[in-house]
Amino acid sequence: MDVKIEESWKEQLKEEFDKDYFRELTSFVKQEYSKYQCLPKGKEIFNAFHYTPFDEVKVVIIGQDPYPTPGHAHGLCFSVQEHVKPFPASLKNIFREIQTDLGKEIPENGSLIRWAKQGVLLLNAVLTVRAGQPRSHQGKGWEKFTNSVIQKLSAEKENLVFLLWGGDAKKKIPLIDQSKHLILTSGHPSPLSANKGYWFGNKHFSKTNNFLREKGKNEINW
């Protein structure tokens, strides 16, 4: 598969790509894509690493796996391709929280490439999925790979903001050095959690920008 990965990430991940588990994962993914409709497109699987160079990461948002609806996922967690309307429920709730927290209008499209280009790594724990079958590629090796990404970011960088939304994301806390980084947690933005009061009002977007500003970094234009 012709995947796009920015050079600084290739350097950071080359040892991981050589490990046996990753070879097995690659073989599984190729087989799945040849037999079934899988998402995102092959060349977009590593988009998180394409749009946000390792050296420029300031914020890390961790999702679960890609949207299973064809035409939605494009390799960035919670993000959809520009033409997708209406927005998936979780993304709609993210935009609603930004509106309340920062007073920003709901954007015209749901593509978060604009965040990725500002240093927001939009990382799903699992990078591929069969169309219409959420979580179908869990437990095949992706989690091991993305956990190593989180550990590498934690070890080699300072003053990152990790936004961990929902139970699965919170399980990543032990991978992160809390003495060097800010971890913000809340319920998941999906309606199940958000409507019970676990998402709205978390003010994660203003808290992130306040932290970045304190550390002398540019804020994110959410």
Side-chain angles (χ1 to χ4, degrees), residues 88-107:
S90 292
L91 184 58
K92 192 189 298 179
N93 285 339
I94 289 170
F95 289 151
R96 279 178 62 196
E97 176 58 26
I98 291 170
Q99 187 177 38
T100 310
D101 186 13
L102 299 172
K104 294 179 82 77
E105 290 301 310
I106 304 285

Side-chain angles (χ1 to χ4, degrees), residues 62-66 77 123-127 135 138 165 168 188:
I62 298 171
Q64 294 171 356
D65 60 350
C77 73
L123 182 66
N124 274 317
V126 175
L127 299 188
R135 298 179 179 249
Q138 281 194 331
W165 302 333
D168 285 355
H188 195 274

Side-chain angles (χ1 to χ4, degrees), residues 90 93-94 96-97 163-167 169-170 184-205 207:
S90 292
N93 285 339
I94 289 170
R96 279 178 62 196
E97 176 58 26
L163 301 180
L164 308 182
W165 302 333
K170 288 175 192 170
L184 297 175
T185 64
S186 78
H188 195 274
S190 68
L192 256 172
S193 170
N195 295 342
K196 289 179 183 166
Y198 300 135
W199 164 257
F200 292 115
N202 67 28
K203 297 193 183 303
H204 278 189
F205 304 97
K207 286 176 182 174

Side-chain angles (χ1 to χ4, degrees), residues 133-146:
Q133 295 183 45
R135 298 179 179 249
S136 47
H137 287 181
Q138 281 194 331
K140 304 298 182 184
W142 277 129
E143 295 92 340
K144 190 169 184 177
F145 172 71
T146 52

Side-chain angles (χ1 to χ4, degrees), residues 74 76 79-82 91 95 109-115:
H74 62 139
L76 304 173
S79 179
V80 290
Q81 298 188 57
E82 286 191 5
L91 184 58
F95 289 151
N109 70 70
S111 170
L112 303 181
I113 289 173
R114 57 185 179 272
W115 294 3

